[in-house]
Amino acid sequence: MNYMRKALEEAHLAASEGEIPVGAVLVRDGQVIAAAHNRRENDHDPTAHAELLCLRQAARVLGDWRMRGCTLYVTLEPCPMCAGAMVMSQLDSCVWGAADEKQGCCGSIYDLPGDPALQGVTKWQSGVLAEECGQLLRDFFAGRRG
């Protein structure tokens, strides 16, 4: 749960920057390798999701695109793009907080990492600090809607 708390810190940073509050942390052997939060608005980049930014940062730190032995903690269930990146990076596992009933691809609308056609190795676990992660998102969107 320690790592999800760090991901929540990243999500709060995203909110403070006007971004959708999603944060991610990548861990290997009990050590935080990378941490990131959404930056789509500020970077004008549709791919600047917390998960992708975290995977990119980790690849630079590790000197390898393969994320074997790593776990990604993210406050919101990964979308199709991010779930695909997890599989393609050979990430061992993903732990996520709040479910995304509209675009979540680690169990909600689809289980992309579990699709046998992709021969993926990424396992996932849902619902860690789900209420806290979800409340942050609900509060953010309520504030935007006035």
Side-chain angles (χ1 to χ4, degrees):
M1 217 166 308
N2 223 10
Y3 303 121
M4 188 60 80
R5 292 246 175 253
K6 175 73 174 148
L8 271 164
E9 288 174 20
E10 287 290 330
H12 282 283
L13 285 173
S16 73
E17 295 173 6
E19 297 280 353
I20 295 174
V22 177
V25 174
L26 188 123
V27 176
R28 178 186 268 175
D29 298 327
Q31 184 175 2
V32 174
I33 303 297
H37 55 273
N38 275 4
R39 294 205 38 89
R40 289 191 311 172
E41 300 298 330
N42 289 300
D43 290 357
H44 309 289
D45 180 353
T47 69
H49 288 205
E51 300 95 320
L52 291 182
L53 296 173
C54 197
L55 288 169
R56 287 177 192 149
Q57 185 184 115
R60 286 190 297 273
V61 169
L62 297 171
D64 192 357
W65 60 268
R66 293 168 194 86
M67 298 292 125
R68 294 178 188 145
C70 296
T71 298
L72 182 69
Y73 293 81
V74 62
T75 58
L76 180 65
E77 180 181 2
C79 72
M81 177 177 64
C82 294
M86 290 172 3
V87 170
M88 298 308 292
S89 69
Q90 301 175 10
L91 180 75
D92 274 7
S93 61
C94 174
V95 177
W96 52 268
D100 184 343
E101 300 297 331
K102 294 181 181 176
Q103 297 179 19
C105 279
C106 288
S108 286
I109 63 164
Y110 181 57
D111 181 8
L112 193 147
D115 189 324
L118 299 176
Q119 302 173 358
V121 296
T122 304
K123 306 293 181 228
W124 55 265
Q125 176 187 346
S126 62
V128 175
L129 297 179
E131 182 56 36
E132 195 170 339
C133 293
Q135 192 62 53
L136 179 58
L137 287 158
R138 287 188 295 276
D139 291 347
F140 176 80
F141 286 114
R144 286 184 120 182
R145 292 181 185 118

